[in-house]
């Protein structure tokens, strides 16, 4: 993936941890977004990686379950949100459900 060296330094540090968590818990993927709605991390980096999920944005998946999860986490970042199963385009329209919560600097 193209990007600044600082991104690659952080990726080298955290990617093995997130990948192990994914395998240990049987998740399909783990996603991290910035507050603008841009997906800045994914274990598998499918076609949704580095796209925007903000409802008012222009990303192709903003109306998806993952877009709903992003919006829910932004609206109430201290809660855990569940977005029910529906087809998810970047995963070949396979049914997908999402859990989402906010992350803090502290």
């Amino acid at each position: 993936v193209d990007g600044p060296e600082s991104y690659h330094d952080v990726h080298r540090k955290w990617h093995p941890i997130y990948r192990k968590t994914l395998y240990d818990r049987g998740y399909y993927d783990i996603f991290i977004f910035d507050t603008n709605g841009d997906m800045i991390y994914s274990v598998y980096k499918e076609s949704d990686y580095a796209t925007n999920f903000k409802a008012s944005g222009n990303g192709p998946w903003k109306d998806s379950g993952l877009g709903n999860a992003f919006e829910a986490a932004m609206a109430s970042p201290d809660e855990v949100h569940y977005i029910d199963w529906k087809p998810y385009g970047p995963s070949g329209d396979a049914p997908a459900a999402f859990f989402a919560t906010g992350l803090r600097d502290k």
Side-chain angles (χ1 to χ4, degrees), residues 29 57 81 90:
D29 206 340
H81 305 275

Side-chain angles (χ1 to χ4, degrees), residues 37-60:
D38 296 319
M39 184 188 293
I40 59 172
Y41 177 80
S42 164
V43 172
Y44 285 113
K45 296 168 184 63
E46 293 182 328
S47 62
D48 51 1
Y49 177 67
T51 63
N52 186 273
F53 285 78
K54 193 170 190 173
S56 62
N58 61 358

Side-chain angles (χ1 to χ4, degrees), residues 8-27:
H8 295 292
D9 290 342
V10 172
H11 188 271
R12 276 190 288 278
K13 176 181 177 180
W14 289 101
H15 182 70
I17 295 165
Y18 292 136
R19 187 179 57 227
K20 181 176 182 336
T21 299
L22 178 140
Y23 292 146
D24 289 350
R25 297 183 182 181
Y27 297 157

Side-chain angles (χ1 to χ4, degrees), residues 67-106:
N68 299 150
F70 167 77
E71 291 294 337
M74 288 298 295
S76 300
D78 295 322
E79 297 178 22
V80 175
H81 305 275
Y82 172 72
I83 307 302
D84 207 359
W85 298 92
K86 64 182 183 180
Y88 186 60
S91 298
D93 279 332
F98 300 95
F99 285 95
T101 193
L103 298 175
R104 304 278 186 189
D105 268 345
K106 299 178 184 186

Side-chain angles (χ1 to χ4, degrees), residues 7 14 59 63 66 75 92 105:
Y7 172 86
W14 289 101
D63 296 322
L66 190 52
D105 268 345

